[in-house]
Amino acid sequence: MSSRRPLVAGNWKMHKTGPEAREFCAALAGLVGEDPAVDVAVCPPYTALEASADALAGAPIAVYAQNVHENEKGAHTGDISAAMILATGADGALVGHSERRAAGDTDAQIAIRVRNAIDAGLLVVLCCGESLETRQAGETEAWVTRQIRSALEHVQPADIARLVIAYEPIWAIGTGETASPAQAQEACAIVRRVATEKVDGEVLRVLYGGSVSPANAAELMSQHDVDGALVGGASLDPESFAAIVAVAG
Ligand code: PGA
């Protein structure tokens, strides 16, 4: 066990309306209680950020957006800025999720998003992870190293207060096929080692994501370099998400 406080974040993806988010957050706040042993966050879609932040006001549960544009304003139809996210009452944003990368977010954009979102006052959960082909080719370490070096290009040591990294192998996302605890440990250790080129690796929290469930969460998070989880499918139900929070502490 390290001294890093674990973080369990639920990535809802394209699920839940504002009213549904409100109901979910009220239930989750009741289950998590006033003093959880770990940091907890939900990542609703943009349209449910304000309802979620409102429903969680006073609760020890943060609200992160699922992405953030690198510019402050401008002709970017369909995108939203860090200031817009903060104005909803949310605290952070995912950046570089593999589903956003697949939809066209580039390495260069991701590096600027990390920089600008931190400057704007958001906590950033930077996501990285390899495809099945990359893993089978034995290139996971090189892939993750390149992603982290690129995304942290503009990061400074002081940014550690607003930076978390999630290792999410694409082959484990939404597939029910989880990385083994040993695979998660090995990759999270690589992430930490590479990130140490820019920030204090002893302080940096590195999460594992990819088919995390109440059944496998404890073993994954007991690994030395796994400081919590980014949870997709299993975060959509308050009981199952709260069960993962409970075993993280
Ligand atoms: P999953 O998603 O838990 O449904 O695999 C994780 C993620 O994409 O963040």
Side-chain angles (χ1 to χ4, degrees):
M1 285 295 279
S2 75
S3 58
R4 296 179 291 270
R5 184 172 163 90
L7 166 64
V8 178
N11 176 11
W12 298 358
K13 310 192 179 184
M14 199 169 73
H15 294 279
K16 300 192 192 296
T17 62
E20 288 165 349
R22 200 175 280 282
E23 195 180 320
F24 175 98
C25 289
L28 182 66
L31 291 166
V32 163
E34 285 175 9
D35 193 19
V38 301
D39 286 349
V40 184
V42 293
C43 311
Y46 293 146
T47 48
L49 286 175
E50 192 151 3
S52 301
D54 194 46
L56 292 170
I61 302 174
V63 179
Y64 305 157
Q66 296 173 15
N67 203 358
V68 54
H69 197 270
E70 61 271 26
N71 291 350
E72 281 176 29
K73 57 176 71 157
H76 304 289
T77 305
D79 282 311
I80 74 171
S81 71
M84 292 171 185
I85 291 168
L86 284 163
T88 68
D91 319 279
L94 307 182
V95 173
H97 189 282
S98 59
E99 287 157 15
R100 295 307 324 168
R101 293 179 191 258
D105 293 1
T106 66
D107 284 330
Q109 262 180 325
I110 288 163
I112 300 171
R113 284 178 188 186
V114 170
R115 173 72 269 144
N116 292 358
I118 290 174
D119 281 344
L122 290 171
L123 180 137
V124 167
V125 181
L126 167 69
C127 304
C128 66
E130 82 289 356
S131 67
L132 187 58
E133 297 71 49
T134 300
R135 176 159 286 264
Q136 287 175 339
E139 289 166 7
T140 297
E141 178 165 359
W143 180 269
V144 170
T145 299
R146 187 195 58 75
Q147 278 189 323
I148 296 297
R149 284 205 179 122
S150 169
L152 299 188
E153 186 184 346
H154 310 299
V155 158
Q156 307 291 331
D159 296 328
I160 186 70
R162 296 215 186 107
L163 181 67
V164 173
I165 302 181
Y167 166 69
E168 298 202 303
I170 296 167
W171 48 271
I173 294 179
T175 58
E177 192 184 332
T178 316
S180 69
Q183 287 173 320
Q185 162 58 28
E186 186 183 19
C188 288
I190 292 167
V191 168
R192 188 180 311 286
R193 196 185 68 230
V194 177
T196 302
E197 295 168 5
K198 288 293 183 117
V199 295
D200 185 347
E202 284 302 309
V203 177
L204 177 71
R205 290 183 292 181
V206 182
L207 315 183
Y208 167 78
S211 298
V212 174
S213 71
N216 61 29
E219 203 184 353
L220 287 162
M221 291 190 279
S222 70
Q223 304 300 308
H224 180 265
D225 285 295
V226 181
D227 305 315
L230 182 54
V231 186
S235 76
L236 294 174
D237 170 71
E239 274 84 20
S240 99
F241 187 55
I244 295 170
V245 169
V247 298

